[in-house]
Amino acid sequence: MTVTTTSGLTRRALLGAFAATACAAAPTYSQAFGILRGAGDVRRIKMYSGRTGESLDTIYWIEGDYIPEALQEVTLFMRDWRNNKMMNIDARTVDIMAAAHNLLDTSEPYMLLSGYRSPETNAMLRARSSGVARNSLHLKGQAADLRLRSRSVGQMFKAASACKAGGVGRYSSSDFVHMDCGSVRQWGS
């Protein structure tokens, strides 16, 4: 992750440099093992948050292995921004997000609208909107609401649905797509 800082070279930066070198040297397989089509031998996630001003650009999986430090950075980034509470983000959700992003063929990072939601935040949002589930997968760190300026909600919805790996919700009037690692299902307009 690159939460914007002004400090010098970090352990994470060194790991990123190593990963970039490994990526350049690694063979590419069109039928790579993984839970999702489009994920490949290296998985990367890029996001930013308008709420916190933070950005994330990290390789979190290389050649069949998740990078625990990178997943912890994803968890920190996707915390409930209203109260800074965190829950480990399910790597399967990150896989779906990364595979959909890859299918969209864009270098633009996702804008994260909502990742983990604490019970307090979910209850507050439910009181304001009938579209918030009581047992939302956001409460378990298994969902994300995302937006891209360069792609339509329809394009994002199709890409995430093509992964056939979880729930995908289309929220055209609010300009975002929900992706989760629950059962395969689709909803919205």
Side-chain angles (χ1 to χ4, degrees):
M1 169 160 96
T2 317
V3 173
T4 308
T5 65
T6 57
S7 62
L9 191 60
T10 64
R11 182 173 180 263
R12 186 71 195 124
L14 288 172
L15 181 59
F18 168 75
T21 305
C23 294
T28 330
Y29 301 100
S30 61
Q31 298 298 323
F33 290 103
I35 67 166
L36 301 173
R37 292 181 296 133
D41 293 320
V42 173
R43 298 181 192 166
R44 178 181 202 163
I45 191 73
K46 297 190 312 184
M47 296 183 280
Y48 73 94
S49 170
R51 304 284 189 184
T52 65
E54 296 169 338
S55 62
L56 172 100
D57 184 359
T58 190
I59 294 171
Y60 68 93
W61 188 91
I62 298 174
E63 294 291 324
D65 292 315
Y66 289 103
I67 302 168
E69 298 88 354
L71 290 177
Q72 283 303 311
E73 290 177 355
V74 170
T75 291
L76 174 63
F77 182 83
M78 292 180 67
R79 71 191 178 276
D80 186 331
W81 61 269
R82 289 175 175 88
N83 57 23
N84 284 324
K85 291 185 178 179
M86 291 186 284
M87 175 170 284
N88 285 335
I89 300 300
D90 194 312
R92 296 173 301 168
T93 298
V94 183
D95 286 337
I96 294 165
M97 295 162 51
H101 195 266
N102 191 37
L103 291 171
L104 288 163
D105 192 30
T106 181
S107 61
E108 176 191 352
Y110 282 124
M111 174 190 269
L112 177 70
L113 302 174
S114 182
Y116 168 67
R117 282 190 208 143
S118 65
E120 301 83 12
T121 293
N122 203 66
M124 179 269 297
L125 293 173
R126 272 185 57 74
R128 292 182 182 175
S129 171
S130 61
V132 177
R134 177 182 311 273
N135 296 316
S136 170
L137 291 178
H138 287 279
L139 293 163
K140 298 177 181 180
Q142 296 180 332
D145 296 338
L146 304 161
R147 178 182 293 155
L148 285 170
R149 287 187 309 259
S150 65
R151 300 294 185 266
S152 70
V153 169
Q155 289 170 315
M156 289 178 62
F157 179 83
K158 286 177 186 173
S161 297
C163 296
K164 298 186 186 317
V168 184
R170 178 185 349 209
Y171 294 88
S172 298
S173 62
S174 298
D175 191 29
F176 74 88
V177 172
H178 168 99
M179 299 179 198
D180 69 51
C181 65
S183 59
V184 177
R185 64 211 189 286
Q186 300 174 345
W187 67 92
S189 58

